[in-house]
Amino acid sequence: QVQLVESGGGVVQAGGSLRLTCAASGRSLSSYAMGWFRQAPGKEREYVAAVSWSGHSTYYADSVKGRFTISRDNAKNTMSLEMNSLKSEDTAVYFCVGGGTITGSDYIGIPYWGKGTLVTVSS
C-alpha cells in the first residue's frame, strides 16, 4: 500500500513563490513516474506536471510551463514542485500522484493519489 502525503501549501501573494513536497511511504516509487494535479474551486481536476522515474525527463501543462519546476529525490522517496510567479488562477488543491503513464500532454492510469494540499494565491 502506497501513501502519498503533500506538504507546503498555504497562502501567498500573486507573484510570489511556494514549494510543495510529496513524501511517499509504504513502498518505493523510484521505478514509477510521479506528478502533480490540481483542482480549483468549481472546476475539474487538471494535470500540472510530471517527472519520469529517473527524474531526467519532466513535463508541464502549458499553463505552468516556465513558472513551475518539478523534481524528485528517489533516495528520499520524495518529489517537489517549485512554483514561481504565482497567479490567482493557480489557486487550487494540489495532489501528488504516483504510477501510471506520462503521455507528454497528459498523465493517465494513475493508481496512487495523495489527499491534497491547498494553495491560495491572493491578488
Side-chain angles (χ1 to χ4, degrees):
Q1 188 74 8
V2 173
Q3 289 85 41
L4 300 175
V5 179
E6 305 92 341
S7 61
V11 180
V12 62
Q13 286 192 331
S17 299
L18 211 56
R19 183 180 179 89
L20 304 183
T21 300
C22 174
S25 62
R27 65 177 290 185
S28 172
L29 292 183
S30 60
S31 299
Y32 298 89
M34 295 185 74
W36 295 90
F37 277 69
R38 70 185 180 186
Q39 187 166 19
K43 295 189 176 181
E44 292 189 356
R45 191 169 55 195
E46 65 173 352
Y47 158 71
V48 175
V51 58
S52 63
W53 68 270
S54 66
H56 292 159
S57 297
T58 56
Y59 309 85
Y60 300 93
D62 288 342
S63 59
V64 306
K65 202 171 294 183
R67 300 188 298 121
F68 290 12
T69 302
I70 190 171
S71 61
R72 66 188 298 167
D73 185 336
N74 285 339
K76 295 181 179 179
N77 224 16
T78 60
M79 176 184 62
S80 295
L81 185 69
E82 183 74 32
M83 306 184 293
N84 298 314
S85 301
L86 283 162
K87 306 174 182 179
S88 56
E89 52 263 44
D90 294 318
T91 294
V93 176
Y94 284 71
F95 298 91
C96 168
V97 302
T101 303
I102 302 171
T103 66
S105 59
D106 204 350
Y107 185 9
I108 60 174
I110 299 167
Y112 308 120
W113 291 78
K115 293 183 178 181
T117 185
L118 177 62
V119 172
T120 302
V121 183
S122 63
S123 56

